[in-house]
Amino acid sequence: MRINLTSVYVDDQDKALRFYTEVLGFVPKTDVPTGEYRWLTVVSPDAPDGVELLLEPDAHPAAKAFKEALAADGIPLTQFAVDDVAAEHDRLRSLGVLFTQEPVDMGPVTTAVFDDTCGNLIQIAQYR
């Protein structure tokens, strides 16, 4: 058994696709109309056949409430691995990304947290 798909709840799929591809650097994988919304996934350019990230609409009341509660408490919805948190922080900041937690060295891991513009806080982490 292995993980092949995970999701983030987004308030606007088009806005999310722009942010996750143009800013974060993921690449589109699947884009299938499903009525009002789309089955819309992105992947890492380093692993095009790897884990897909579903940009899932937060239309369900429970999803919206869950997402809003996490963000209000400053809790990241998910975490992405990076090779160098400081460099990625600087790159993203130069693109206008808002960080809610600057890079913090915690021994075996360095993390930072940013706002994905779609209602989520996302943590980036560098493990040693």
Side-chain angles (χ1 to χ4, degrees):
M1 189 176 304
R2 62 191 172 278
I3 298 170
N4 70 328
L5 179 83
T6 189
S7 62
V8 293
Y9 296 114
V10 299
D11 55 11
D12 180 305
Q13 286 185 300
D14 290 323
K15 178 176 71 170
L17 182 61
R18 281 190 303 277
F19 182 83
Y20 278 79
T21 57
E22 296 173 15
V23 177
L24 297 186
F26 292 105
V27 294
K29 175 78 174 188
T30 307
D31 189 346
V32 177
T34 59
E36 183 178 351
Y37 303 107
R38 294 147 47 201
W39 184 265
L40 182 60
T41 69
V42 296
V43 294
S44 168
D46 297 334
D49 295 320
V51 177
E52 294 180 53
L53 179 65
L54 176 63
L55 304 177
E56 187 168 356
D58 66 1
H60 189 282
K64 191 176 292 265
F66 172 70
K67 185 177 84 163
E68 289 172 355
L70 287 178
D73 288 345
I75 300 170
L77 177 68
T78 195
Q79 175 180 281
F80 301 142
V82 298
D83 293 330
D84 184 333
V85 165
E88 193 65 18
H89 168 269
D90 292 346
R91 183 186 78 80
L92 293 174
R93 185 175 290 286
S94 76
L95 295 172
V97 174
L98 172 66
F99 277 79
T100 61
Q101 177 198 300
E102 297 296 312
V104 175
D105 184 342
M106 295 181 264
V109 64
T110 299
T111 66
V113 178
F114 64 85
D115 182 328
D116 77 349
T117 75
C118 301
N120 303 296
L121 298 180
I122 306 293
Q123 181 169 278
I124 54 175
Q126 169 190 349
Y127 291 89
R128 296 183 248 312

